[in-house]
Amino acid sequence: QVQLVESGGGLVQAGDSLTLSCAASGRSFGRNAAGWFRQAPGKEREFVAAISESRDTTYYADSVKGRFTISRDNAKNTMYLQMNTLKPEDTAVYYCARKIIGWSSDTYYNTKNYGDWGQGTQVTVSS
């Protein structure tokens, strides 16, 4: 099992940037793909971005493509989410998780294929 801790959230204005971190402890984080998800009040948790274990493949939700960048440093057991040009609709609690089910590309987008969820970090974007 892997323990994941998110950090870096905060209150920013529209157009600002923010970088989230996901620090992993326990078994080697680099053995699995991993992803970022978010959940706004009253809404279901949704996929944001994911990255393969070897860092050579990334996936993004259409709503963040071109604005967010996912990366990871396996030597540091840490994953990042660089968020640029933030919008009020990006306001949510952001979670990181380890991918535990599936190998094909379509499995990266489903929350059910992830486990070892972190506790989340709040991102609030004011207009």
Side-chain angles (χ1 to χ4, degrees), residues 18-123:
L18 207 57
T19 299
L20 305 183
S21 298
C22 173
S25 61
R27 57 173 290 179
S28 178
F29 186 50
R31 296 179 183 176
N32 295 85
W36 286 96
F37 295 77
R38 66 188 182 186
Q39 187 167 17
K43 295 187 176 181
E44 293 187 353
R45 190 170 299 187
E46 64 175 7
F47 170 81
V48 175
I51 186 167
S52 64
E53 60 271 29
S54 58
R55 301 172 297 171
D56 61 351
T57 307
T58 56
Y59 304 84
Y60 294 95
D62 289 341
S63 58
V64 306
K65 201 171 294 183
R67 300 188 297 122
F68 290 11
T69 302
I70 188 172
S71 62
R72 68 191 299 171
D73 185 338
N74 289 339
K76 295 182 178 180
N77 272 359
T78 303
M79 181 174 65
Y80 305 95
L81 185 67
Q82 172 69 41
M83 305 185 294
N84 297 327
T85 319
L86 283 162
K87 303 176 181 180
E89 51 263 43
D90 294 319
T91 295
V93 178
Y94 283 71
Y95 300 89
C96 63
R98 182 173 65 96
K99 191 170 183 292
I100 58 175
I101 297 175
W103 295 97
S104 59
S105 59
D106 62 331
T107 62
Y108 280 81
Y109 301 92
N110 194 326
T111 59
K112 297 180 179 179
N113 295 327
Y114 291 78
D116 296 332
W117 294 85
Q119 85 290 346
T121 185
Q122 176 71 47
V123 173

